[in-house]
PDB file of all heavy atoms in Angstrom:
ATOM      1  N   LYS H 549     -46.269 -28.340  -6.787  1.00 90.00           N
ATOM      2  CA  LYS H 549     -45.895 -26.966  -6.417  1.00 90.00           C
ATOM      3  C   LYS H 549     -44.867 -26.414  -7.396  1.00 90.00           C
ATOM      4  O   LYS H 549     -44.985 -25.305  -7.891  1.00 90.00           O
ATOM      5  CB  LYS H 549     -45.316 -26.972  -4.998  1.00 90.00           C
ATOM      6  CG  LYS H 549     -45.024 -25.601  -4.457  1.00 90.00           C
ATOM      7  CD  LYS H 549     -46.325 -24.864  -4.175  1.00 90.00           C
ATOM      8  CE  LYS H 549     -46.030 -23.412  -3.800  1.00 90.00           C
ATOM      9  NZ  LYS H 549     -47.280 -22.640  -3.729  1.00 90.00           N
ATOM     10  N   ASP H 624     -39.811 -11.915 -10.550  1.00 87.00           N
ATOM     11  CA  ASP H 624     -38.587 -11.224 -10.232  1.00 87.00           C
ATOM     12  C   ASP H 624     -37.812 -12.064  -9.222  1.00 87.00           C
ATOM     13  O   ASP H 624     -38.401 -12.741  -8.374  1.00 87.00           O
ATOM     14  CB  ASP H 624     -38.985  -9.889  -9.636  1.00 87.00           C
ATOM     15  CG  ASP H 624     -37.794  -9.133  -9.173  1.00 87.00           C
ATOM     16  OD1 ASP H 624     -37.203  -8.439  -9.993  1.00 87.00           O
ATOM     17  OD2 ASP H 624     -37.449  -9.269  -7.986  1.00 87.00           O
ATOM     18  N   VAL H 626     -36.052 -11.337  -6.656  1.00 90.00           N
ATOM     19  CA  VAL H 626     -36.284 -10.954  -5.262  1.00 90.00           C
ATOM     20  C   VAL H 626     -37.621 -11.495  -4.778  1.00 90.00           C
ATOM     21  O   VAL H 626     -37.729 -12.084  -3.696  1.00 90.00           O
ATOM     22  CB  VAL H 626     -36.222  -9.417  -5.138  1.00 90.00           C
ATOM     23  CG1 VAL H 626     -36.808  -8.954  -3.825  1.00 90.00           C
ATOM     24  CG2 VAL H 626     -34.790  -8.950  -5.299  1.00 90.00           C
ATOM     25  N   GLN H 627     -38.640 -11.339  -5.616  1.00 89.00           N
ATOM     26  CA  GLN H 627     -39.973 -11.827  -5.268  1.00 89.00           C
ATOM     27  C   GLN H 627     -39.957 -13.351  -5.133  1.00 89.00           C
ATOM     28  O   GLN H 627     -40.509 -13.917  -4.195  1.00 89.00           O
ATOM     29  CB  GLN H 627     -40.940 -11.390  -6.365  1.00 89.00           C
ATOM     30  CG  GLN H 627     -42.373 -11.708  -6.073  1.00 89.00           C
ATOM     31  CD  GLN H 627     -43.217 -11.631  -7.334  1.00 89.00           C
ATOM     32  OE1 GLN H 627     -42.683 -11.596  -8.438  1.00 89.00           O
ATOM     33  NE2 GLN H 627     -44.527 -11.605  -7.164  1.00 89.00           N
ATOM     34  N   ARG H 631     -40.653 -16.073  -1.918  1.00 91.00           N
ATOM     35  CA  ARG H 631     -41.626 -17.172  -1.929  1.00 91.00           C
ATOM     36  C   ARG H 631     -40.936 -18.515  -1.776  1.00 91.00           C
ATOM     37  O   ARG H 631     -41.554 -19.474  -1.312  1.00 91.00           O
ATOM     38  CB  ARG H 631     -42.423 -17.141  -3.245  1.00 91.00           C
ATOM     39  CG  ARG H 631     -43.303 -15.904  -3.353  1.00 91.00           C
ATOM     40  CD  ARG H 631     -43.931 -15.789  -4.718  1.00 91.00           C
ATOM     41  NE  ARG H 631     -44.818 -16.914  -5.034  1.00 91.00           N
ATOM     42  CZ  ARG H 631     -45.344 -17.123  -6.226  1.00 91.00           C
ATOM     43  NH1 ARG H 631     -45.052 -16.294  -7.226  1.00 91.00           N
ATOM     44  NH2 ARG H 631     -46.133 -18.153  -6.427  1.00 91.00           N
ATOM     45  N   ARG H 655     -38.750  -7.058   7.328  1.00 92.00           N
ATOM     46  CA  ARG H 655     -38.536  -5.616   7.230  1.00 92.00           C
ATOM     47  C   ARG H 655     -38.245  -5.210   5.789  1.00 92.00           C
ATOM     48  O   ARG H 655     -38.845  -4.267   5.274  1.00 92.00           O
ATOM     49  CB  ARG H 655     -37.382  -5.200   8.147  1.00 92.00           C
ATOM     50  CG  ARG H 655     -37.246  -3.690   8.241  1.00 92.00           C
ATOM     51  CD  ARG H 655     -36.264  -3.281   9.319  1.00 92.00           C
ATOM     52  NE  ARG H 655     -36.668  -3.754  10.633  1.00 92.00           N
ATOM     53  CZ  ARG H 655     -35.816  -4.169  11.560  1.00 92.00           C
ATOM     54  NH1 ARG H 655     -34.530  -4.178  11.309  1.00 92.00           N
ATOM     55  NH2 ARG H 655     -36.263  -4.580  12.734  1.00 92.00           N
ATOM     56  N   ILE H 656     -37.327  -5.945   5.103  1.00 91.00           N
ATOM     57  CA  ILE H 656     -37.018  -5.511   3.745  1.00 91.00           C
ATOM     58  C   ILE H 656     -38.208  -5.688   2.818  1.00 91.00           C
ATOM     59  O   ILE H 656     -38.381  -4.942   1.875  1.00 91.00           O
ATOM     60  CB  ILE H 656     -35.771  -6.235   3.159  1.00 91.00           C
ATOM     61  CG1 ILE H 656     -35.948  -7.743   3.194  1.00 91.00           C
ATOM     62  CG2 ILE H 656     -34.502  -5.825   3.878  1.00 91.00           C
ATOM     63  CD1 ILE H 656     -34.828  -8.492   2.506  1.00 91.00           C
ATOM     64  N   HIS H 657     -39.072  -6.685   3.115  1.00 91.00           N
ATOM     65  CA  HIS H 657     -40.236  -6.877   2.249  1.00 91.00           C
ATOM     66  C   HIS H 657     -41.421  -6.029   2.682  1.00 91.00           C
ATOM     67  O   HIS H 657     -42.455  -6.042   2.038  1.00 91.00           O
ATOM     68  CB  HIS H 657     -40.645  -8.352   2.228  1.00 91.00           C
ATOM     69  CG  HIS H 657     -39.611  -9.228   1.588  1.00 91.00           C
ATOM     70  ND1 HIS H 657     -39.122  -8.991   0.336  1.00 91.00           N
ATOM     71  CD2 HIS H 657     -38.969 -10.326   2.034  1.00 91.00           C
ATOM     72  CE1 HIS H 657     -38.213  -9.908   0.029  1.00 91.00           C
ATOM     73  NE2 HIS H 657     -38.097 -10.731   1.045  1.00 91.00           N
ATOM     74  N   GLY H 658     -41.262  -5.326   3.779  1.00 88.00           N
ATOM     75  CA  GLY H 658     -42.344  -4.461   4.246  1.00 88.00           C
ATOM     76  C   GLY H 658     -43.551  -5.229   4.705  1.00 88.00           C
ATOM     77  O   GLY H 658     -44.690  -4.810   4.502  1.00 88.00           O
ATOM     78  N   VAL H 710     -40.409 -14.856   6.541  1.00 91.00           N
ATOM     79  CA  VAL H 710     -40.917 -14.141   5.372  1.00 91.00           C
ATOM     80  C   VAL H 710     -42.077 -14.899   4.723  1.00 91.00           C
ATOM     81  O   VAL H 710     -42.491 -14.557   3.621  1.00 91.00           O
ATOM     82  CB  VAL H 710     -39.816 -13.875   4.317  1.00 91.00           C
ATOM     83  CG1 VAL H 710     -38.790 -12.912   4.844  1.00 91.00           C
ATOM     84  CG2 VAL H 710     -39.151 -15.166   3.883  1.00 91.00           C
ATOM     85  N   SER H 711     -42.620 -15.918   5.407  1.00 90.00           N
ATOM     86  CA  SER H 711     -43.739 -16.722   4.910  1.00 90.00           C
ATOM     87  C   SER H 711     -43.516 -17.234   3.503  1.00 90.00           C
ATOM     88  O   SER H 711     -44.240 -16.848   2.588  1.00 90.00           O
ATOM     89  CB  SER H 711     -45.046 -15.934   4.920  1.00 90.00           C
ATOM     90  OG  SER H 711     -45.106 -15.122   6.014  1.00 90.00           O
ATOM     91  N   GLU H 713     -43.417 -20.110   0.435  1.00 91.00           N
ATOM     92  CA  GLU H 713     -44.268 -21.251   0.100  1.00 91.00           C
ATOM     93  C   GLU H 713     -43.432 -22.512   0.064  1.00 91.00           C
ATOM     94  O   GLU H 713     -43.898 -23.586   0.413  1.00 91.00           O
ATOM     95  CB  GLU H 713     -44.923 -21.009  -1.259  1.00 91.00           C
ATOM     96  CG  GLU H 713     -45.833 -19.789  -1.240  1.00 91.00           C
ATOM     97  CD  GLU H 713     -45.975 -19.158  -2.610  1.00 91.00           C
ATOM     98  OE1 GLU H 713     -46.203 -19.887  -3.579  1.00 91.00           O
ATOM     99  OE2 GLU H 713     -45.852 -17.924  -2.695  1.00 91.00           O
TER     100      GLU H 713
ATOM    101  N   MET C1457     -50.190 -16.983   8.036  1.00 42.00           N
ATOM    102  CA  MET C1457     -48.886 -17.222   7.436  1.00 42.00           C
ATOM    103  C   MET C1457     -48.870 -18.498   6.618  1.00 42.00           C
ATOM    104  O   MET C1457     -47.845 -19.096   6.414  1.00 42.00           O
ATOM    105  CB  MET C1457     -47.834 -17.299   8.556  1.00 42.00           C
ATOM    106  CG  MET C1457     -47.496 -15.927   9.068  1.00 42.00           C
ATOM    107  SD  MET C1457     -45.772 -15.767   9.418  1.00 42.00           S
ATOM    108  CE  MET C1457     -45.594 -16.936  10.737  1.00 42.00           C
ATOM    109  N   ALA C1459     -49.416 -20.846   3.182  1.00 43.00           N
ATOM    110  CA  ALA C1459     -48.950 -20.660   1.819  1.00 43.00           C
ATOM    111  C   ALA C1459     -49.936 -19.819   1.019  1.00 43.00           C
ATOM    112  O   ALA C1459     -49.544 -18.967   0.231  1.00 43.00           O
ATOM    113  CB  ALA C1459     -48.735 -22.006   1.155  1.00 43.00           C
ATOM    114  N   SER C1462     -49.447 -16.153   1.719  1.00 47.00           N
ATOM    115  CA  SER C1462     -48.226 -15.548   1.216  1.00 47.00           C
ATOM    116  C   SER C1462     -48.317 -15.314  -0.276  1.00 47.00           C
ATOM    117  O   SER C1462     -47.741 -14.369  -0.785  1.00 47.00           O
ATOM    118  CB  SER C1462     -47.030 -16.435   1.537  1.00 47.00           C
ATOM    119  OG  SER C1462     -47.026 -17.548   0.689  1.00 47.00           O
ATOM    120  N   ARG C1463     -49.016 -16.152  -0.970  1.00 53.00           N
ATOM    121  CA  ARG C1463     -49.131 -15.945  -2.404  1.00 53.00           C
ATOM    122  C   ARG C1463     -49.720 -14.575  -2.669  1.00 53.00           C
ATOM    123  O   ARG C1463     -49.189 -13.786  -3.423  1.00 53.00           O
ATOM    124  CB  ARG C1463     -49.990 -17.033  -3.025  1.00 53.00           C
ATOM    125  CG  ARG C1463     -49.905 -17.063  -4.520  1.00 53.00           C
ATOM    126  CD  ARG C1463     -50.524 -18.325  -5.044  1.00 53.00           C
ATOM    127  NE  ARG C1463     -49.975 -19.506  -4.383  1.00 53.00           N
ATOM    128  CZ  ARG C1463     -50.529 -20.704  -4.425  1.00 53.00           C
ATOM    129  NH1 ARG C1463     -51.668 -20.883  -5.080  1.00 53.00           N
ATOM    130  NH2 ARG C1463     -49.983 -21.723  -3.819  1.00 53.00           N
ATOM    131  N   LEU C1465     -49.671 -12.167  -0.646  1.00 77.00           N
ATOM    132  CA  LEU C1465     -48.747 -11.177  -0.094  1.00 77.00           C
ATOM    133  C   LEU C1465     -47.715 -10.737  -1.135  1.00 77.00           C
ATOM    134  O   LEU C1465     -47.513  -9.554  -1.376  1.00 77.00           O
ATOM    135  CB  LEU C1465     -48.051 -11.785   1.117  1.00 77.00           C
ATOM    136  CG  LEU C1465     -47.118 -10.887   1.903  1.00 77.00           C
ATOM    137  CD1 LEU C1465     -47.890  -9.734   2.508  1.00 77.00           C
ATOM    138  CD2 LEU C1465     -46.432 -11.698   2.982  1.00 77.00           C
ATOM    139  N   TYR C1466     -47.049 -11.718  -1.765  1.00 82.00           N
ATOM    140  CA  TYR C1466     -45.947 -11.360  -2.666  1.00 82.00           C
ATOM    141  C   TYR C1466     -46.412 -11.075  -4.087  1.00 82.00           C
ATOM    142  O   TYR C1466     -45.626 -10.670  -4.924  1.00 82.00           O
ATOM    143  CB  TYR C1466     -44.892 -12.468  -2.658  1.00 82.00           C
ATOM    144  CG  TYR C1466     -44.186 -12.531  -1.350  1.00 82.00           C
ATOM    145  CD1 TYR C1466     -44.274 -13.657  -0.535  1.00 82.00           C
ATOM    146  CD2 TYR C1466     -43.465 -11.436  -0.900  1.00 82.00           C
ATOM    147  CE1 TYR C1466     -43.636 -13.691   0.684  1.00 82.00           C
ATOM    148  CE2 TYR C1466     -42.834 -11.462   0.321  1.00 82.00           C
ATOM    149  CZ  TYR C1466     -42.907 -12.597   1.112  1.00 82.00           C
ATOM    150  OH  TYR C1466     -42.297 -12.614   2.317  1.00 82.00           O
ATOM    151  N   GLN C1467     -47.701 -11.342  -4.364  1.00 81.00           N
ATOM    152  CA  GLN C1467     -48.171 -11.040  -5.713  1.00 81.00           C
ATOM    153  C   GLN C1467     -49.103  -9.849  -5.732  1.00 81.00           C
ATOM    154  O   GLN C1467     -49.679  -9.515  -6.744  1.00 81.00           O
ATOM    155  CB  GLN C1467     -48.830 -12.285  -6.317  1.00 81.00           C
ATOM    156  CG  GLN C1467     -47.759 -13.288  -6.689  1.00 81.00           C
ATOM    157  CD  GLN C1467     -48.312 -14.678  -6.925  1.00 81.00           C
ATOM    158  OE1 GLN C1467     -49.276 -15.083  -6.289  1.00 81.00           O
ATOM    159  NE2 GLN C1467     -47.684 -15.420  -7.816  1.00 81.00           N
ATOM    160  N   PHE C1471     -46.963  -5.046  -2.976  1.00 88.00           N
ATOM    161  CA  PHE C1471     -45.611  -5.589  -2.998  1.00 88.00           C
ATOM    162  C   PHE C1471     -44.898  -5.146  -4.273  1.00 88.00           C
ATOM    163  O   PHE C1471     -43.717  -4.812  -4.249  1.00 88.00           O
ATOM    164  CB  PHE C1471     -45.650  -7.112  -2.916  1.00 88.00           C
ATOM    165  CG  PHE C1471     -44.273  -7.721  -2.814  1.00 88.00           C
ATOM    166  CD1 PHE C1471     -43.610  -7.755  -1.597  1.00 88.00           C
ATOM    167  CD2 PHE C1471     -43.646  -8.242  -3.928  1.00 88.00           C
ATOM    168  CE1 PHE C1471     -42.354  -8.298  -1.490  1.00 88.00           C
ATOM    169  CE2 PHE C1471     -42.381  -8.785  -3.830  1.00 88.00           C
ATOM    170  CZ  PHE C1471     -41.728  -8.820  -2.614  1.00 88.00           C
ATOM    171  N   ARG C1474     -43.731  -1.645  -3.933  1.00 91.00           N
ATOM    172  CA  ARG C1474     -42.617  -1.632  -2.999  1.00 91.00           C
ATOM    173  C   ARG C1474     -41.348  -2.165  -3.672  1.00 91.00           C
ATOM    174  O   ARG C1474     -40.266  -1.627  -3.492  1.00 91.00           O
ATOM    175  CB  ARG C1474     -42.970  -2.507  -1.795  1.00 91.00           C
ATOM    176  CG  ARG C1474     -41.978  -2.323  -0.672  1.00 91.00           C
ATOM    177  CD  ARG C1474     -42.270  -3.223   0.508  1.00 91.00           C
ATOM    178  NE  ARG C1474     -41.065  -3.313   1.306  1.00 91.00           N
ATOM    179  CZ  ARG C1474     -40.703  -2.394   2.186  1.00 91.00           C
ATOM    180  NH1 ARG C1474     -41.461  -1.339   2.383  1.00 91.00           N
ATOM    181  NH2 ARG C1474     -39.578  -2.528   2.871  1.00 91.00           N
ATOM    182  N   LEU C1475     -41.546  -3.187  -4.491  1.00 91.00           N
ATOM    183  CA  LEU C1475     -40.405  -3.783  -5.191  1.00 91.00           C
ATOM    184  C   LEU C1475     -39.774  -2.765  -6.139  1.00 91.00           C
ATOM    185  O   LEU C1475     -38.555  -2.660  -6.238  1.00 91.00           O
ATOM    186  CB  LEU C1475     -40.868  -5.014  -5.962  1.00 91.00           C
ATOM    187  CG  LEU C1475     -39.777  -5.990  -6.372  1.00 91.00           C
ATOM    188  CD1 LEU C1475     -39.030  -6.492  -5.160  1.00 91.00           C
ATOM    189  CD2 LEU C1475     -40.385  -7.153  -7.136  1.00 91.00           C
ATOM    190  N   ARG C1478     -37.726  -0.522  -4.159  1.00 94.00           N
ATOM    191  CA  ARG C1478     -36.472  -1.166  -3.735  1.00 94.00           C
ATOM    192  C   ARG C1478     -35.487  -1.219  -4.886  1.00 94.00           C
ATOM    193  O   ARG C1478     -34.290  -1.026  -4.690  1.00 94.00           O
ATOM    194  CB  ARG C1478     -36.773  -2.570  -3.220  1.00 94.00           C
ATOM    195  CG  ARG C1478     -37.431  -2.563  -1.857  1.00 94.00           C
ATOM    196  CD  ARG C1478     -37.988  -3.902  -1.496  1.00 94.00           C
ATOM    197  NE  ARG C1478     -36.947  -4.904  -1.309  1.00 94.00           N
ATOM    198  CZ  ARG C1478     -37.196  -6.214  -1.202  1.00 94.00           C
ATOM    199  NH1 ARG C1478     -38.438  -6.652  -1.273  1.00 94.00           N
ATOM    200  NH2 ARG C1478     -36.218  -7.049  -1.018  1.00 94.00           N
ATOM    201  N   TYR C1479     -35.980  -1.461  -6.076  1.00 94.00           N
ATOM    202  CA  TYR C1479     -35.048  -1.507  -7.204  1.00 94.00           C
ATOM    203  C   TYR C1479     -34.520  -0.117  -7.539  1.00 94.00           C
ATOM    204  O   TYR C1479     -33.388   0.032  -7.991  1.00 94.00           O
ATOM    205  CB  TYR C1479     -35.711  -2.154  -8.426  1.00 94.00           C
ATOM    206  CG  TYR C1479     -35.575  -3.654  -8.404  1.00 94.00           C
ATOM    207  CD1 TYR C1479     -36.674  -4.490  -8.442  1.00 94.00           C
ATOM    208  CD2 TYR C1479     -34.308  -4.230  -8.324  1.00 94.00           C
ATOM    209  CE1 TYR C1479     -36.538  -5.866  -8.403  1.00 94.00           C
ATOM    210  CE2 TYR C1479     -34.168  -5.606  -8.278  1.00 94.00           C
ATOM    211  CZ  TYR C1479     -35.282  -6.414  -8.323  1.00 94.00           C
ATOM    212  OH  TYR C1479     -35.122  -7.770  -8.271  1.00 94.00           O
TER     213      TYR C1479
END
Side-chain angles (χ1 to χ4, degrees):
Chain H
K549 186 70 187 171
D624 176 86
V626 165
Q627 186 197 14
R631 294 172 62 189
R655 188 170 300 144
I656 56 174
H657 294 306
V710 293
S711 323
E713 297 154 47
Chain C
M1457 283 219 296
S1462 75
R1463 193 168 308 164
L1465 184 63
Y1466 291 117
Q1467 286 164 327
F1471 185 80
R1474 191 183 161 82
L1475 199 58
R1478 286 168 67 191
Y1479 273 123

